[in-house]
């Protein structure tokens, strides 16, 4: 089976915060899991390097847009590497490769009549002397009367055109925009209405998407799909490949989502492999992002793929709700955020991955608080899992000179491990990562209880045969727990695998080969709870 995984493209105009990681992490869990299961996996993403915010920032700093995108692209790569993300290809949207293939996609859709030309009235700022992209018109949402941007209302999720906003103004200078006539290209989404209705119905019937993706997509379909403008007057981006329109750019609606395809082509070019093995009806695809990105992946991208006649349309949509910070909405403008480069300076990537999974906003918003983060590390990772590994291996080092006792593993323990592989496998495939990790930690708690009840420290004096059995069972549990945890906690799993000299194995129970332990070190360090106050102080100080 082939598995295609597309992680959302981070916008290269500012650092990543924990909200981004919370919505992107499921992609890496899936990729690692399916690779362990020996499936063919292609996991791609990249930095979104086009668009007006980047040019505005570049102007403010007096540098070229590429200085900005280079800076953040490199920072994203560093952060993803440190967090253990295993993209097969992580690219960017300002490469010639991406531009060329997006233009080919545009021309194919134009050829098929799915993209057409139309004269429109567009918002224009006389003060800034430029047409304004939707996101640069702000005002009041005509539906819910809350403040909104010109493309979409964050409050009620209605998709808007800038001219529909009440009290609209230019985001750059604050003046009310005027309008001018200009010719643009439109994507005929309305002609795909029936096809997309069937597609969303199939996803709902088979429970392939998160509930938020189903309900939002059904709402758009019920309202009736509108044709969307796909060209823009923008300073940077992919030029429209039509004579006379070279100054206009292909808008992000088509351009950024096509990155999944262009990245797979890049992977093929760089590895000499064939990307068509990931673009056919036998492939299962996962698209991983936050809920603000749902329509791009549940309507627009499937529409483009259907228009091109490419399969598969997104099979699974893994669209998390939002992560709040200390019970308040994250805000990059107010600097109310935990920035990824910053947290990685002081904390282990596995602690971050653990917390963001066990506390994932899978079906409702979830909160990151420093208190819960540090408690969860100390009580679960260190207190339950790390402690079980450490006490078992230390005991073997002390009482058996590090030689792991060889015994047939107790059948009851084998059964538990066997069912854990099956259950967590099903849960991961269904994108229920939080529940999968909870199941693993149920077995961690069972393991600690087993150690306590067997009392190997007494057995070693009175009945050394049973003591050997206890420790062989415990090592078997450790090895398989670490293996099952690899998609979630790759760094600590790697440590355990090194200690027990475990080589590659697939997604099923395995025995540890005869091994002598050496250099047993704790998997995790305790975090001093006084750090909670320090972190809160730091957070409050940085906020404006
Ligand atoms: Zn609204
Ligand atoms: Zn303006």
């Amino acid at each position: 089976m082939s598995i295609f995984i597309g992680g959302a493209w981070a916008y290269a105009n500012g650092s990543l915060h924990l909200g981004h990681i919370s919505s992107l992490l499921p992609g890496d869990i899936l990729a690692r899991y399916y690779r362990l299961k020996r499936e063919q996996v292609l996991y791609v993403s990249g930095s979104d390097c086009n668009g007006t915010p980047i040019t505005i920032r570049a102007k403010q700093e007096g540098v070229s847009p590429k200085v900005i995108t280079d800076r953040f692209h490199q920072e994203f790569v560093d952060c993803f590497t440190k967090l253990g993300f295993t993209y097969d290809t992580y690219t960017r949207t300002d490469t010639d490769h991406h531009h060329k293939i997006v233009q080919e996609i545009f021309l194919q859709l134009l050829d098929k009549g799915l993209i057409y030309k139309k004269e429109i009235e567009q918002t224009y700022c006389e003060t800034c002397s430029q047409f304004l992209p939707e996101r640069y018109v702000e005002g009041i949402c005509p539906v819910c009367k809350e403040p909104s941007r010109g493309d979409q209302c964050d409050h009620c999720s209605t998709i808007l055109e800038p001219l529909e906003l009440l009290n609209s103004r230019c985001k750059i200078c604050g003046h009310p925009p005027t309008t001018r006539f200009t010719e643009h290209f439109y994507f005929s989404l309305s002609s795909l209405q029936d096809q997309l209705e069937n597609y969303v119905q199939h996803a709902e019937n088979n429970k392939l998407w998160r509930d938020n993706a189903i309900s939002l997509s059904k709402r758009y379909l019920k309202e009736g799909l509108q044709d969307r403008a796909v060209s823009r007057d923008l300073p940077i981006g992919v030029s429209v490949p039509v004579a006379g329109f070279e100054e206009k750019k292909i808008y992000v609606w088509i351009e950024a989502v096509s990155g999944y395809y262009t990245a797979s082509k890049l992977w093929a070019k760089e590895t000499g492999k064939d990307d068509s093995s990931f673009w056919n009806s036998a492939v299962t695809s996962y698209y991983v992002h936050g809920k603000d990105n749902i329509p791009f992946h549940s309507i627009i991208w499937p529409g483009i793929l259907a228009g091109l006649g490419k399969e598969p349309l997104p099979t699974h949509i893994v669209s998390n709700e939002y992560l709040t910070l200390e019970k308040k909405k994250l805000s990059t403008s107010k600097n109310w955020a935990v920035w990824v480069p910053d947290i990685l300076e002081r904390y282990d990537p596995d602690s971050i991955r653990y917390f963001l999974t066990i506390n994932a906003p899978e079906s409702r918003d979830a909160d990151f608080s420093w208190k819960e983060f540090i408690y969860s590390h100390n009580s679960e990772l260190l207190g339950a899992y790390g402690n079980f590994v450490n006490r078992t291996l230390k005991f073997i080092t002390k009482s058996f000179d590090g030689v792991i006792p060889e015994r047939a593993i107790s059948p009851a323990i084998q059964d538990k491990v066997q069912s854990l592989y099956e259950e967590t496998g099903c849960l991961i495939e269904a994108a229920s990562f939080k529940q999968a990790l909870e199941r693993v930690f149920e077995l961690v708690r069972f393991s600690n209880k087993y150690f306590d009840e067997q009392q190997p420290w007494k057995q070693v004096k009175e009945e050394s045969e049973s003591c050997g059995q206890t420790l062989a069972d415990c090592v078997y549990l450790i090895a398989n727990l670490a293996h099952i945890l690899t998609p979630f906690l790759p760094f600590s799993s790697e440590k355990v695998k090194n200690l027990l000299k475990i080589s590659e194995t697939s997604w099923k129970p395995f025995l540890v080969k005869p091994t002598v332990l050496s250099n047993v070190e704790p998997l995790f360090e305790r975090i001093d709870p006084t750090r909670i106050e320090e972190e809160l102080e730091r957070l409050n100080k940085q906020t404006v």
Side-chain angles (χ1 to χ4, degrees):
M1 194 163 61
S2 293
I3 307 288
F4 179 85
I5 304 163
W9 296 59
Y11 194 59
N13 184 43
S15 296
L16 297 168
H17 55 64
L18 284 186
H20 295 120
I21 304 305
S22 159
S23 57
L24 295 174
L25 183 55
D28 188 60
I29 297 172
L30 285 163
R32 287 176 174 273
Y33 162 77
Y34 276 115
R35 288 193 202 108
L36 285 179
K37 215 183 150 196
R38 299 273 188 263
E39 308 289 9
Q40 296 303 312
V41 174
L42 180 56
Y43 177 29
V44 303
S45 185
S47 308
D48 181 352
C49 295
N50 297 322
T52 312
I54 287 169
T55 51
I56 289 178
R57 183 167 187 147
K59 217 181 258 178
Q60 283 165 352
E61 294 189 18
V63 296
S64 73
K66 193 164 180 303
V67 172
I68 305 291
T69 54
D70 282 351
R71 181 196 307 160
F72 289 108
H73 175 74
Q74 196 48 54
E75 189 182 297
F76 295 171
V77 169
D78 287 348
C79 287
F80 287 130
T81 305
K82 284 180 189 158
L83 284 165
F85 277 58
T86 52
Y87 294 115
D88 294 296
T89 289
Y90 186 86
T91 178
R92 49 196 288 172
T93 60
D94 54 358
T95 62
D96 290 343
H97 171 87
H98 176 77
H99 282 219
K100 188 171 149 277
I101 296 176
V102 170
Q103 289 178 332
E104 286 169 14
I105 290 174
F106 186 95
L107 289 174
Q108 281 178 49
L109 294 172
L110 191 67
D111 241 19
K112 297 189 178 198
L114 285 163
I115 286 180
Y116 61 91
K117 219 186 295 172
K118 183 175 151 187
E119 190 179 49
I120 55 148
E121 201 181 354
Q122 204 194 329
T123 39
Y124 185 88
C125 179
E126 303 289 348
T127 317
C128 300
S129 309
Q130 68 171 80
F131 284 107
L132 294 174
E134 280 112 331
R135 283 177 173 254
Y136 278 79
V137 183
E138 291 183 333
I140 302 296
C141 168
V143 177
C144 71
K145 308 285 190 277
E146 292 289 327
S148 170
R149 292 188 318 255
D151 58 342
Q152 188 181 355
C153 172
D154 277 341
H155 191 256
C156 71
S157 299
T158 300
I159 293 188
L160 296 165
E161 293 282 350
L163 292 174
E164 297 175 90
L165 285 183
L166 312 171
N167 299 330
S168 60
R169 35 182 211 288
C170 166
K171 190 186 170 176
I172 307 163
C173 70
H175 289 90
T178 57
T179 61
R180 285 191 181 188
F181 281 96
T182 174
E183 256 192 321
H184 272 292
F185 288 89
Y186 272 67
F187 181 44
S188 171
L189 258 185
S190 58
S191 68
L192 298 162
Q193 171 90 23
D194 290 349
Q195 202 173 342
L196 292 175
E197 262 174 22
N198 290 335
Y199 163 67
V200 173
Q201 194 57 53
H202 175 265
E204 182 178 27
N205 293 347
N206 294 282
K207 297 188 173 12
L208 298 174
W209 298 0
R210 291 272 167 82
D211 290 346
N212 56 7
I214 292 287
S215 56
L216 195 60
S217 308
K218 282 173 74 179
R219 210 186 92 191
Y220 289 137
L221 288 163
K222 198 165 160 244
E223 288 165 2
L225 297 179
Q226 307 290 317
D227 293 355
R228 310 297 309 189
V230 291
S231 60
R232 279 294 181 281
D233 298 276
L234 294 172
I236 56 168
V238 180
S239 299
V240 170
V242 175
F245 290 86
E246 296 88 347
E247 290 301 305
K248 296 186 190 283
K249 302 293 185 285
I250 300 176
Y251 194 44
V252 66
W253 286 87
I254 282 201
E255 188 263 309
V257 286
S258 297
Y260 297 117
Y261 184 71
T262 70
S264 75
K265 284 278 176 205
L266 182 65
W267 167 83
K269 195 165 127 188
E270 288 176 346
T271 58
K273 291 179 185 156
D274 183 6
D275 67 288
S276 65
S277 57
F278 290 99
W279 295 106
N280 62 69
S281 58
V283 175
T284 297
S285 62
Y286 287 86
Y287 288 85
V288 179
H289 46 84
K291 75 168 163 192
D292 49 339
N293 267 320
I294 289 172
F296 298 103
H297 298 87
S298 73
I299 301 283
I300 308 284
W301 183 227
I304 295 169
L305 288 171
L308 296 170
K310 279 197 197 306
E311 293 193 277
L313 307 195
T315 321
H316 293 272
I317 292 199
V318 186
S319 44
N320 272 353
E321 297 285 315
Y322 292 135
L323 187 74
T324 55
L325 171 58
E326 304 288 348
K327 298 275 159 70
K328 283 195 288 187
K329 196 174 176 232
L330 280 164
S331 164
T332 53
S333 56
K334 294 186 185 119
N335 209 7
W336 184 254
V338 174
W339 300 102
V340 178
D342 182 54
I343 190 173
L344 279 170
E345 275 180 20
R346 299 187 297 287
Y347 298 94
D348 279 353
D350 274 359
S351 309
I352 300 168
R353 291 175 68 114
Y354 176 79
F355 186 83
L356 292 181
T357 305
I358 205 73
N359 200 34
E362 287 183 2
S363 51
R364 67 182 84 88
D365 289 356
D367 187 54
F368 177 93
S369 77
W370 281 106
K371 184 175 162 197
E372 291 303 323
F373 172 69
I374 289 175
Y375 276 15
S376 94
H377 171 94
N378 282 345
S379 64
E380 296 297 315
L381 273 190
L382 170 93
Y385 176 45
N387 185 36
F388 173 60
V389 174
N390 197 48
R391 72 208 286 216
T392 304
L393 302 187
K394 282 280 187 211
F395 192 86
I396 295 172
T397 309
K398 196 180 89 191
S399 305
F400 291 79
D401 293 328
V403 181
I404 298 172
E406 286 181 64
R407 297 287 188 287
I409 303 306
S410 307
I413 303 266
Q414 288 196 47
D415 286 351
K416 278 189 180 294
V417 168
Q418 174 69 40
S419 33
L420 188 66
Y421 275 99
E422 288 163 13
E423 278 180 50
T424 50
C426 287
L427 287 166
I428 292 171
E429 291 179 23
S432 295
F433 308 101
K434 176 177 152 71
Q435 230 185 316
L437 191 54
E438 281 167 359
R439 288 289 154 79
V440 184
F441 272 74
E442 280 167 21
L443 190 65
V444 168
R445 280 186 286 278
F446 163 85
S447 303
N448 270 312
K449 202 163 142 245
Y450 182 70
F451 190 96
D452 289 338
E453 285 172 357
Q454 297 298 311
Q455 303 183 310
W457 58 94
K458 276 193 189 160
Q459 287 178 320
V460 74
K461 292 174 203 143
E462 294 149 18
E463 34 180 346
S464 65
E465 188 50 35
S466 331
C467 184
Q469 183 67 49
T470 301
L471 293 166
D473 286 345
C474 287
V475 169
Y476 173 79
L477 284 164
I478 289 170
N480 284 282
L481 281 168
H483 190 57
I484 294 173
L485 282 169
T486 307
F488 302 95
L489 311 173
F491 297 95
S492 50
S493 291
E494 189 60 31
K495 278 193 208 170
V496 173
K497 288 179 175 185
N498 286 337
L499 275 173
L500 299 179
K501 303 185 179 64
I502 298 166
S503 49
E504 287 289 295
T505 169
S506 65
W507 194 259
K508 57 175 194 237
F510 62 93
L511 298 168
V512 178
K513 298 201 181 81
T515 302
V516 184
L517 294 171
S518 56
N519 306 320
V520 176
E521 299 283 344
L523 283 189
F524 306 100
E525 300 286 338
R526 183 172 175 276
I527 305 173
D528 191 328
T530 57
R531 297 270 287 278
I532 299 168
E533 276 309 309
E534 287 171 28
E535 293 294 353
L536 283 172
E537 209 170 292
R538 186 195 296 259
L539 178 64
N540 284 314
K541 232 187 247 169
Q542 79 180 26
T543 304
V544 288

